[in-house]
Amino acid sequence: MKRFVTSPLFVITSTIPMIIVMVSLLKISLAGDHSPSAEHSYQDSASFVKRIANKNGPTLGYSSGSGIKIILINGLAFKDLNRNEELDKYEDWRLSADVRAKDLASKLSIDQIAGLMLYSKHQSIPAASGGFIAGTYNGRSFIESGANAADLSDQQKEFLVKDNVRHVLITSVQSPEVAARWNNNAQALVEGTGFGIPANNSSDPRHGTIADAEYNAGAGGSISMWPGSLGLAATFDPALVEEFGHIAATEYRALGIATALSPQVDLATEPRWYRASGTFGEDPLLSTDIGRAYIDGFQTSRGDKEIVGGWGFGSVNAMVKHWPGGGSGEGGRDAHYGYGKYAVYPGKNFENHFVPFVEGAFKLKGKTKMASAVMPYYTISFNQDKKNNENVGNSYNSYIINELLRNKYKYDGVVCTDWNVTGDETAVDIFFTGKSWGVEKLSVAERHYKILMAGVDQFGGNNDAAPVKEAYNMGAKQHGEAFIRARFLRSAVRLLKNIFRVGLFENPYLDEKDSKKIVGKPDFMTAGYNAQLKSVVMLKNRNNILPLEKNKMVYIPKRYTPPGRNFLGAPIAEKLDYPINIETVKKYFKITDDPDQADYALVFINSPNTGGGYNSEEAKAGGTGYTPISLQYGEYAATNAREPSMAGGDPLEKFTNRSYNGKKVKAINITDLTMITETAAKMKGKPIIVSMNMSNPTIFGEFEKYVDAIIVNFSVQGQAILDILSGNVEPSGLLPFQMPSDMVTVEAQFEDVPHDMKTYIDGQSNAYGFAFGLNWKGVINDVRTKKYKIAAVK
């Protein structure tokens, strides 16, 4: 028996016993206090979100204005998403995600499949008024338009409707409530379009810390704050990381986010690589275990949120990156830039970089079994193509995707390119340029076609369906219509399965009140803060100076930040200020600006930053532009660097040798070293404690002898550091990678090999190697070090 229902409360009669299905109404404010204008009239479709609770089935959510109706069969409710008054297989939540995805894919036009293959550029909520993520509202900036923060921008409406985009990358959001309302607006719009395919919103990692924020037990926050990826690794605790994944996924879903563009399981075997800070370190086993736990936490729904096989309304798809590993860029340079496009393998260790993927991400302990998506890196894996001998970016390389990932390792999930790989390169030193490494001479459409033929499903950062449709025509011409349509259908099924499995087809809508309660709830904030504490590593504690006695007098020198630009090219303002929230410090110690009055000095520094290995001014003056990346603060002269480089070549360069041998560099933040030496002179032998926020391995020989204690953190709140220093919490973190003895060993190590440097040995004869750390009793030797240190030695 089948009936269409529009009433908010109804009784179903059928041949089975009577079932009452309740529909609750959630009022959604879409245009602030004013009525929707003609320009925002589409938002009427989300004015009310209706919910229908199925007994022993999912609760359905839909917009009253989207045009869809409810089909009733044997007392069960289903959404008629394509409005054909029939229950199609893809609308039947009783069927498997695979069956539903295949049914829906078979109905889609090539234009609609092309839209699924797109992944939007970065979207902030509300849209920014300027820059690369700028957007407009009725042709005006957000501030000028009078729009509500949750309104869709002109660009968002266009790519959702015109280009059929269903994968949207979300960056900053004004608040959880605004994120929830924006999600509901977007879902209502697409629900009333075509086959009603919901938006699968995604995010890069968003659980970092605000350094000067104060933690108060029992208080909530904007979102739970956790240590950076290296900090998660420094706990050496997969169970903790799995719980992080579960909490982060819960907050993501409350923000309308169903895909995480993480984790980054690249092995940081090249210590100078800028993106080492986003990894779990250099060790294959640790990265495998931490990465696996991270994905299990994100993807596994618990309790009544599970639909089937671990997937459900609490799941977030994990897009593990970057296949086949991006941590071996020559000289430490990064492939976001043309000057860093080459990954090299002097140690012939290419396949070792697969381990966190094939033994971790593809062999989960949880019921979801494997990461639902993979992102290849920008790099050209130099001379690793054993079939076609192509040196092209990984997303273009059929050997790396089809032969290895798909065929050898049997991965049949979504493969999505990194962002903007199909764009044109305009300069080797600009972040926001196209990154079509190795295929620069192909047209944009030809690049899309080559990527599809390599086995990739989706194009990161591309809102425009036109080149995808051109690629289809190329395939039809070369292989015939049947072949290329079948190829498109394979990708469509993979992409749709990830939307079905997380329950978005049943209910993509949020209650903004619930979102406000969930995101940053006190229990989540506490879990994140405790993880921060467990991630701090103590390297030195001469004469057991730590923990410090509370309420003693401390001197904290101000830290100078020179003007410059960050990794994205955005300007960094010059400033001289305290490096930690002084009001928080006052809860632990007394503060003086006079070193003579101090009992201790606390010096807060960042690890050395010498830039990305390229000097644009030198290049403009006629040089190659290539410079060393150093892990020390003071001037470094590269006298034994590789000559010539292993790899090189770019259409915008007239040479192929990228060696920097004979050149010099010093850290942009060299004043951090000066701050230590000057403080040592001022303290006249009184204890000095250094706290370093570490992004890369560091050469400690420049200053270790001047200080009494060293603790290292990986982007935690300042309060967590003070809790360690004052003895409220005992340090338990371990180093996730080696600390080199000097730059000679850095130059001698192979970019693709872990644990191959001579480690630094301090004045207490402790070697700062992988898995080293101190607690109050001395060197930590426990089940963690036994497992991972021994494996690393082998």
Side-chain angles (χ1 to χ4, degrees), residues 763-785:
Q764 280 61 60
S765 300
N766 287 321
Y768 294 177
F770 170 72
F772 170 77
L774 302 173
N775 56 24
W776 302 144
K777 297 178 182 178
V779 177
I780 297 173
N781 288 297
D782 57 18
V783 293
R784 300 172 301 162
T785 59

Side-chain angles (χ1 to χ4, degrees), residues 288-575:
T288 296
D289 288 352
I290 297 293
R292 182 193 299 114
Y294 185 112
I295 299 167
D296 270 330
F298 265 92
Q299 291 192 169
T300 304
S301 287
R302 300 178 182 178
D304 61 4
K305 288 188 178 295
E306 183 180 359
I307 298 172
V308 66
W311 292 104
F313 296 101
S315 300
V316 171
N317 293 290
M319 185 179 290
V320 63
K321 56 190 186 184
H322 301 90
W323 177 262
S328 62
E330 185 165 20
R333 298 183 293 271
D334 182 72
H336 277 85
Y337 296 88
Y339 61 68
K341 65 171 65 174
Y342 294 102
V344 295
Y345 301 89
K348 297 178 172 43
N349 207 39
F350 181 53
E351 292 190 359
N352 194 232
H353 288 253
F354 306 170
V355 172
F357 296 91
V358 301
E359 298 298 329
F362 304 162
K363 291 183 180 179
L364 302 179
K365 291 183 177 179
K367 291 191 286 185
T368 65
K369 297 183 180 180
M370 66 169 57
S372 67
V374 169
M375 180 186 293
Y377 203 39
Y378 296 114
T379 46
I380 294 171
S381 297
F382 190 67
N383 286 348
Q384 299 308 306
D385 184 340
K386 306 305 180 186
K387 184 175 182 179
N388 304 307
N389 296 315
E390 277 197 303
N391 279 315
V392 294
N394 292 316
S395 290
Y396 293 97
N397 195 303
S398 181
Y399 173 75
I400 286 173
I401 306 300
N402 275 327
E403 297 298 323
L404 292 178
L405 183 60
R406 296 290 195 198
N407 296 337
K408 182 174 181 178
Y409 296 110
K410 309 301 180 184
Y411 184 77
D412 194 39
V414 168
V415 178
C416 176
T417 74
D418 214 326
W419 263 233
N420 205 18
V421 302
T422 57
D424 292 325
E425 181 186 22
T426 58
V428 298
D429 59 345
I430 299 296
F431 183 86
F432 296 111
T433 188
K435 308 173 199 308
S436 49
W437 309 145
V439 295
E440 293 91 346
K441 294 182 180 180
L442 297 182
S443 69
V444 172
E446 288 170 336
R447 293 170 193 158
H448 282 75
Y449 180 56
K450 186 172 179 62
I451 285 172
L452 287 170
M453 292 300 99
V456 176
D457 303 297
Q458 199 167 28
F459 304 94
N462 180 14
N463 300 350
D464 183 9
V468 184
K469 290 186 282 188
E470 285 186 64
Y472 180 88
N473 292 333
M474 292 176 185
K477 184 177 180 180
Q478 183 175 3
H479 297 287
E481 188 92 17
F483 171 89
I484 195 64
R485 179 166 177 83
R487 172 65 191 87
F488 268 55
L489 284 175
R490 284 199 298 276
S491 288
V493 171
R494 291 167 182 151
L495 291 160
L496 289 168
K497 280 174 66 174
N498 287 355
I499 306 177
F500 279 113
R501 291 191 293 199
V502 297
L504 289 175
F505 274 87
E506 278 56 72
N507 184 16
Y509 295 99
L510 301 172
D511 182 331
E512 63 181 90
K513 293 179 182 178
D514 288 343
S515 295
K516 184 178 181 180
K517 290 178 183 178
I518 292 170
V519 181
K521 66 186 293 186
D523 289 351
F524 293 172
M525 300 298 291
T526 296
Y529 188 73
N530 288 338
Q532 293 179 50
L533 293 169
K534 291 179 180 179
S535 72
V536 176
V537 183
M538 183 164 67
L539 296 181
K540 183 176 182 179
N541 192 19
R542 185 164 60 196
N543 298 324
N544 295 319
I545 191 66
L546 297 180
L548 301 177
E549 185 178 343
K550 293 181 181 178
N551 297 315
K552 286 288 190 175
M553 194 72 72
V554 298
Y555 167 66
I556 301 176
K558 291 183 177 180
R559 183 172 182 270
Y560 173 68
T561 301
R565 293 188 177 276
N566 65 14
F567 182 70
L568 302 179
I572 298 173
E574 180 182 30
K575 67 177 181 178

